[in-house]
Amino acid sequence: MLWQVRALLSDRPGAMAALASRCGERGANILALDVHPAADGEVVDELVIHTPESWTAPDVEQLCTDAGVFASAVTECSAHALEDQPVRYLRAAQCVVREPERLEDLLCRMLDAEPAVAGSAAVLVLDDEAGPPVALGREHAFTATETARAAELRLVAAAVLAGPGADQVAGAPAHGVGQLRRGTVVDIRPLVEMHDRCSADTLSRRYHSPMRRLSPRMARAMLLPAHGFSFVLPDEDGDGVVAMGMVAFQDDEVEAALLVEDRWQRRGHGADLLRALAAEAKAMGAEELTLIARRDDTAVLATVHRAGFRAHVRCVDGVNRLRVPLGRVSSARKQADRKPADRPVRRRMTEPLVALLHQRKELREVYAPADIIDQAVRDGV
Ligand SMILES: CC(C)(COP(=O)(O)OP(=O)(O)OC[C@H]1O[C@@H](n2cnc3c(N)ncnc32)[C@H](O)[C@@H]1OP(=O)(O)O)[C@@H](O)C(=O)NCCC(=O)NCCS
């Protein structure tokens, strides 16, 4: 008999060994294992176990309990369950390329879930602008690994739905943009209109609180700060603005802030803006810029890197303060001008992983969150 077992274990050395040795003692053979790190000192192991024919699901559950497993879900399965996970997900990616509109069905099959309903015990919801909406439900919680896999397949669907030649983001605009230039009073109305087009999430990441409509007065203060300057990225026609960045010289620091309209994000404009702000601020005597980002926001640090800089990151009062030294603007430019293929490979994190990374040091070598960079900078790497 083959059984698919989902076991919640203590995340400590030897916990899995105890289960394996209990299986061995009872004549059960572990044929596949997929480990999903979880928060709070626990780990979810998905196993495929082969047992003698006479075994029932309660027998397998008992074996797990005897081995110290906190909770287990056991279902009888076929040899299909032995398929290698990477191969399974590569096949799934091919299905998404063929039929992107069936993404949710496919994820239900991959993750043993149903479309989410009001009573679903656990839900996985992906509904930002990155791709088609997904809402899955099932009995047991979705792990960060599963969420990351679903999010990646969703990006494949978004890219296919956006059509040939389109960027990764669904709904990518067809026309282009103008040249970055200093912000002036003529940009007040376009900036207010750009705010109106930004999503609540983008505005909350910029202002760290819900943002009502930008008044012309505030727009003016942002475009022409008393001690600072701004840059705007006009649209192709020059009538509208699609991104803006500002620098404000304060008593003890020089603060920079960026805002790129949703449908223009992830096209390099944020990094271009930051480089322009940095070069101008440096020419005015600044030695470093400070950017303030929500604790769960990985995009700002990625933008700093893409612009060719490094950041010292500190979490203060629940927000990340990124201090960006401006010592090497010219080499930053060199770095930024490298072809994308030359850039060091860094993985993009899906949101649940961010929280997990703060608890799981070993994963930080794979994904690059704020704290590692912080540590690397402290260590002088
Ligand atoms: C942060 C922000 C300015 C980045 O602008 P952008 O034009 O998307 O940035 P870029 O296209 O230059 O991308 C820079 C890097 O950030 C990454 N990135 C951008 N958006 C991301 C997101 N939502 N999640 C994860 N990474 C993201 C890109 O993949 C890229 O990394 P890569 O070079 O490793 O591929 C934009 O997301 C934004 O306006 N956010 C809301 C306001 C805000 O947070 N401002 C910063 C606080 S002041």
Side-chain angles (χ1 to χ4, degrees):
M1 298 277 291
L2 274 183
W3 304 94
Q4 196 152 29
V5 179
R6 196 179 164 86
L8 184 66
L9 291 161
S10 164
D11 183 17
R12 59 168 175 76
M16 180 57 208
L19 178 58
S21 100
R22 181 59 63 141
C23 285
E25 286 162 19
R26 301 278 316 274
N29 197 9
I30 298 175
L31 299 178
L33 171 64
D34 194 17
V35 179
H36 297 240
D40 303 329
E42 293 173 341
V43 66
V44 175
D45 286 352
E46 280 186 347
L47 307 108
V48 178
I49 299 182
H50 182 250
T51 67
E53 284 304 308
S54 57
W55 279 45
T56 61
D59 293 334
V60 182
E61 279 162 18
Q62 188 58 51
L63 179 147
C64 292
T65 310
D66 295 347
V69 169
F70 297 143
S72 58
V74 177
T75 44
E76 197 182 333
C77 64
S78 70
H80 285 300
L82 293 171
E83 192 176 23
D84 177 59
Q85 286 293 344
V87 171
R88 237 181 122 226
Y89 274 87
L90 284 169
R91 285 215 182 103
Q94 292 176 38
C95 292
V96 173
V97 169
R98 282 195 301 271
E99 296 181 288
E101 64 289 344
R102 300 197 54 203
L103 173 72
E104 197 170 78
D105 281 355
L106 178 80
L107 288 174
C108 282
R109 265 190 285 134
M110 299 298 292
L111 299 174
D112 199 14
E114 303 280 341
V117 291
S120 298
V123 290
L124 189 169
V125 176
L126 301 169
D127 61 358
D128 58 17
E129 299 81 10
V134 167
L136 312 181
R138 71 179 187 197
E139 274 300 304
H140 42 274
F142 292 90
T143 63
T145 311
E146 289 172 323
T147 307
R149 289 172 180 172
E152 293 301 327
L153 284 177
R154 183 168 170 257
L155 286 182
V156 175
V160 176
L161 289 168
D167 205 345
Q168 276 199 330
V169 179
H175 54 292
V177 294
Q179 294 286 321
L180 274 176
R181 59 167 171 75
R182 287 284 283 257
T184 71
V185 283
V186 303
D187 300 308
I188 292 176
R189 185 185 49 79
L191 183 59
V192 170
E193 289 171 358
M194 174 187 137
H195 259 74
D196 288 344
R197 293 191 301 270
C198 284
S199 68
D201 179 60
T202 287
L203 293 179
S204 126
R205 283 161 56 210
R206 165 66 178 82
Y207 300 102
H208 314 132
S209 60
M211 176 70 186
R212 288 206 308 251
R213 191 157 191 264
L214 187 72
S215 67
R217 193 189 168 95
M218 269 187 73
R220 186 181 206 291
M222 287 168 64
L223 288 162
L224 297 166
H227 303 286
F229 61 89
S230 69
F231 271 89
V232 294
L233 180 63
D235 64 15
E236 199 173 38
D237 304 333
D239 297 334
V241 163
V242 301
M244 83 87 64
M246 60 177 286
V247 162
F249 285 76
Q250 295 164 359
D251 289 344
D252 50 354
E253 65 185 12
V254 183
E255 190 178 327
L258 307 170
L259 180 64
V260 178
E261 187 183 327
D262 294 64
R263 62 197 183 112
W264 292 97
Q265 288 176 11
R266 306 193 90 143
R267 307 177 135 242
H269 299 315
D272 286 349
L273 252 179
L274 181 57
R275 276 195 299 273
L277 294 175
E280 188 76 0
K282 192 176 183 212
M284 292 169 75
E287 290 178 357
E288 77 175 21
L289 294 179
T290 300
L291 288 107
I292 301 175
R294 244 172 35 190
R295 184 89 170 107
D296 62 349
D297 190 339
T298 54
V300 183
L301 184 61
T303 303
V304 169
H305 287 161
R306 181 154 181 182
F309 298 103
R310 304 196 67 172
H312 304 250
V313 185
R314 288 272 175 284
C315 182
V316 181
D317 297 334
V319 289
N320 277 344
R321 299 182 74 84
L322 287 77
R323 284 174 35 228
V324 179
L326 301 182
R328 294 173 22 215
V329 174
S330 54
S331 68
R333 161 64 67 183
K334 236 186 276 162
Q335 157 101 0
D337 288 345
R338 277 155 57 189
K339 292 195 294 293
D342 297 339
R343 288 195 202 119
V345 176
R346 228 173 344 101
R347 299 189 184 191
R348 190 164 20 77
M349 283 189 286
T350 37
E351 299 262 325
L353 276 170
V354 180
L356 189 58
L357 283 164
H358 290 295
Q359 299 171 33
R360 303 284 304 232
K361 287 202 180 65
E362 70 276 19
L363 291 184
R364 296 178 182 186
E365 286 165 19
V366 184
Y367 297 92
D371 287 354
I372 315 176
I373 307 303
D374 191 23
Q375 186 63 48
V377 169
R378 272 204 304 270
D379 296 347
V381 175

